[in-house]
Amino acid sequence: MILTDTHTHIYSEAFDEDQDEMIQRAIKNGVTRFFVPAIDSSYTKAMYAVEEKYPENVFLMTGLHPTHVKENYREELAHIEKELEDRLNNKEGKKFYAIGEVGIDLYWDKSFLSEQQQVFKYQIQLAKKHKLPIVIHCREAFDEVFEVLEAEKSDDLFGIFHCFTGTLEDAHRAISYNMKLGIGGVVTFKNGKIDTFLDQISLDHIVLETDAPYLAPTPYRGKRNESSYLVNIIEKLQNIYQKSVVEIAEITTKNSKDIFGV
């Protein structure tokens, strides 16, 4: 059984003391594919380091996280483009598997909304140019994210709606833009709500994620999350879909392969 964590920040400072142990725990639990989103240029070195240690398991993305869209966003976008070009020309075959995580976040700060919208659009266009999926971060900004997706919709727009927390209507709309729904720890929360309608969404539209070290599932809620806890998420989905863990693992990993091409 192969499990795929489509969104995990395994380079995070939260794992500085036990990164290898954390990754080995995940692998022992069957989680052997780690898709790793970017935040900004300050994390690039750490991302490359973990990829170097686990080249068969770690698949990197590049992008500018919406909460890190500040006055210097043009410099950050230039960094992303340079890294993309460098990887296109490297002899080792290393590549990025998505542009992410990108999107709009109005939970922490609304003062950079205009810049977040510009950067989101720019990164979508960058993904299309390089024939890559996008991985969307959306927090208290469904209307704003959908507005951008509507403007950019096309056959070459596809990806994952990371940490999906919307309504059934939002889910159908996200899927209409060729997005899979990234389902993580929130599905195990008593007030998470998505568990009340997820059975109305085919597993063909679902991928699994942890967003480690954030959003740990029950019974670890409030503690540091890690990729091994993907098994707690899949157990919840087993109850929702009334399918075996193996079948859910197979379907969701296939979905991840369809998105990331690996």
Side-chain angles (χ1 to χ4, degrees), residues 81-176:
E81 293 209 57
K82 181 181 183 302
E83 296 301 303
L84 277 165
E85 290 300 323
D86 287 349
R87 291 219 148 193
L88 280 173
N89 299 318
N90 81 87
K91 296 179 181 179
E92 299 173 358
K94 293 179 179 178
K95 59 180 286 188
F96 292 114
Y97 293 86
I99 304 295
E101 60 191 280
V102 303
I104 299 175
D105 188 311
L106 300 180
Y107 178 78
W108 297 106
D109 184 2
K110 296 181 174 66
S111 60
F112 284 92
L113 172 58
S114 176
E115 289 84 355
Q116 286 191 40
Q117 291 169 317
Q118 292 176 50
V119 170
F120 186 24
K121 289 179 182 179
Y122 187 87
Q123 293 187 101
I124 289 175
Q125 292 163 6
L126 197 59
K128 290 179 179 179
K129 176 184 175 181
H130 291 278
K131 297 180 173 58
L132 292 173
I134 60 171
V135 173
I136 299 172
H137 172 107
C138 174
R139 192 168 186 188
E140 296 194 359
F142 276 95
D143 290 342
E144 290 80 4
V145 164
F146 283 140
E147 182 180 351
V148 173
L149 292 178
E150 180 65 25
E152 294 292 334
K153 68 179 180 181
S154 60
D155 291 340
D156 54 355
L157 172 66
F158 68 107
I160 295 173
F161 214 107
H162 150 63
C163 190
F164 182 78
T165 57
T167 63
L168 178 60
E169 180 183 2
D170 293 330
H172 286 305
R173 191 167 183 188
I175 291 166
S176 77

Side-chain angles (χ1 to χ4, degrees), residues 64-77:
L64 180 58
H65 193 293
T67 62
H68 288 242
V69 174
K70 304 298 180 185
E71 293 88 349
N72 69 333
Y73 72 88
R74 290 184 179 85
E75 296 171 24
E76 288 290 333
L77 293 177

Side-chain angles (χ1 to χ4, degrees), residues 1 18 26 69 104 116 147 168 173 201 207 235 244 248:
M1 182 177 70
D18 64 343
V69 174
I104 299 175
Q116 286 191 40
E147 182 180 351
L168 178 60
R173 191 167 183 188
I201 302 293
V207 293
E235 285 171 1
S244 70
I248 294 171

